[in-house]
Amino acid sequence: MSGLSHLEMEGCHHLLGLLDNDEIMALCDTVTNRLVQPEDCQDAIRAILVYSQSVDELLKHKKVQREVIFKYLATQGMVIPPATEKHNLIQHAKDYWEKQSQWKLKETTEQVSNTEDIRLFQQQAKEDKKAEKVDFRRLGEEFCHWFFELLNSQNHFLGPPQDEWGPQHFWHDVKLRFYYNTSEQNVIDYHGAEIVSLHLLSLVKEEFLFLSPNLDSHGLKCASSPHELVMVGVAGTVHRGNTCLGIFEQIFGLIRCPFNMGHTYVCVCIYIYIYRCIRVLPL
């Protein structure tokens, strides 16, 4: 087994290629003690490299003349004084191959590091995306639980309200678009936290409606924008007492409130669609 490193073998292969064919064959006989019969010069060079125990042992052979080593170093861009002795030229060659090895190792390490960084970044991005999806799904679920429980509790047939309902749960410029479809389609728009909260309150307090949301994967959808606007869409059924009046779909636009520690998100827009009600709801 050769005692030369991969880069030393590459360098010596190039260097031996500068010898005459007869010199290569003669060197092969010396290194292998005539036990190898090469078919050509390339075969002889391979044998020389395999049976050489070290760079020093190989290059110190008389058949590897000082001028050949000097010529090799010159082809590699190294400027060496012409009078440099052979043992110093050998050291220059060894130093050159050592530096090449270090550069190669550094380059490989950087490539591996970059690849690892990219892999970790991609993995983190996937995990972040997955976590983000789970978080917004949970946000939508928790918001709907809170919103509909609070709103429905304002229906006096269900007992005393569990908490205070009012404009504090909305941005001051919130918008509500209310669609309801009975014998004809009706659309009404409301603007402002006060009027929006009052109209939603009238649905359960005066019309005695109960909105039952479906919070499984079919009834609840959540999406977010880069601006932290979260859209929560929920579907369900509309009831009055023991009677199902129809179905509804509701979309909330939520935005983070940095000043309200009680509720992380508050409504900026609401769209309500109510279908197949038994009678027109007075507004």
Side-chain angles (χ1 to χ4, degrees):
M1 183 181 226
S2 175
L4 279 62
S5 69
H6 177 69
L7 284 175
E8 287 174 341
M9 290 187 74
E10 284 187 351
C12 288
H13 191 286
H14 187 181
L15 188 151
L16 295 176
L18 300 176
L19 297 174
D20 294 334
N21 291 349
D22 292 341
E23 291 173 331
I24 294 174
M25 291 299 186
L27 180 61
C28 181
D29 289 342
T30 301
V31 172
T32 66
N33 200 21
R34 298 181 183 276
L35 296 177
V36 175
Q37 300 299 320
E39 296 181 358
D40 53 29
C41 287
Q42 290 300 316
D43 197 21
I45 290 176
R46 284 191 290 270
I48 293 169
L49 296 175
V50 168
Y51 285 93
S52 295
Q53 297 303 310
S54 68
V55 172
D56 289 296
E57 176 188 288
L58 172 58
L59 298 185
K60 284 181 179 179
H61 282 291
K62 291 183 179 180
K63 294 180 176 63
V64 183
Q65 298 177 2
R66 186 188 71 86
E67 290 76 11
V68 174
I69 303 175
F70 179 87
K71 185 177 180 180
Y72 166 77
L73 294 173
T75 62
Q76 302 306 304
M78 299 183 65
V79 179
I80 307 294
T84 303
E85 296 182 1
K86 183 178 179 179
H87 69 277
N88 289 328
L89 292 176
I90 294 174
Q91 189 60 49
H92 280 299
K94 290 168 61 178
D95 292 342
Y96 173 71
W97 293 327
E98 178 64 23
K99 288 181 180 179
Q100 289 288 96
S101 178
Q102 292 175 357
W103 290 339
K104 196 80 171 178
L105 178 61
K106 182 180 179 182
E107 183 181 48
T108 303
T109 302
E110 289 177 349
Q111 289 176 350
V112 171
S113 177
N114 289 338
T115 303
E116 183 70 10
D117 289 344
I118 292 172
R119 188 186 68 79
L120 290 174
F121 175 79
Q122 292 174 338
Q123 181 180 352
Q124 187 63 43
K126 289 180 180 179
E127 291 176 355
D128 289 346
K129 186 175 182 181
K130 183 178 179 181
E132 179 181 272
K133 183 178 180 180
V134 172
D135 287 343
F136 285 121
R137 168 78 189 181
R138 188 182 302 116
L139 168 67
E141 212 172 303
E142 291 179 354
F143 175 81
C144 287
H145 273 300
W146 168 81
F147 179 86
F148 287 105
E149 285 181 6
L150 177 60
L151 180 61
N152 287 325
S153 72
Q154 309 304 312
N155 187 329
H156 294 304
F157 285 122
L158 302 178
Q162 66 175 22
D163 202 352
E164 183 180 357
W165 175 269
Q168 67 272 18
H169 302 305
F170 308 94
W171 286 104
H172 67 90
D173 56 351
V174 64
K175 296 179 181 179
L176 166 64
R177 173 158 289 185
F178 184 58
Y179 299 77
Y180 59 96
N181 185 6
T182 53
S183 58
E184 60 181 12
Q185 292 185 352
N186 300 272
V187 180
I188 305 177
D189 289 318
Y190 301 90
H191 300 273
E194 188 70 36
I195 188 65
V196 167
S197 64
L198 286 174
H199 178 70
L200 291 173
L201 180 63
S202 71
L203 294 179
V204 296
K205 192 172 183 179
E206 298 175 13
E207 292 298 322
F208 309 114
L209 298 183
F210 181 89
L211 302 179
S212 177
N214 175 16
L215 300 183
D216 66 17
S217 58
H218 298 290
L220 177 66
K221 303 295 181 183
C222 304
S224 65
S225 76
H227 311 95
E228 288 196 325
L229 176 66
V230 180
M231 303 302 293
V232 177
V234 62
T237 51
V238 183
H239 302 260
R240 180 183 289 120
N242 295 324
T243 304
C244 180
L245 301 181
I247 58 176
F248 79 92
E249 295 175 1
Q250 190 160 351
I251 300 173
F252 299 95
L254 309 180
I255 192 168
R256 186 185 297 274
C257 178
F259 310 111
N260 187 346
M261 300 303 294
H263 299 100
T264 305
Y265 287 83
V266 290
C267 288
V268 290
C269 60
I270 306 174
Y271 301 90
I272 302 179
Y273 308 81
I274 297 182
Y275 306 96
R276 297 202 301 272
C277 288
I278 290 177
R279 66 185 181 85
V280 176
L281 303 175
L283 300 172

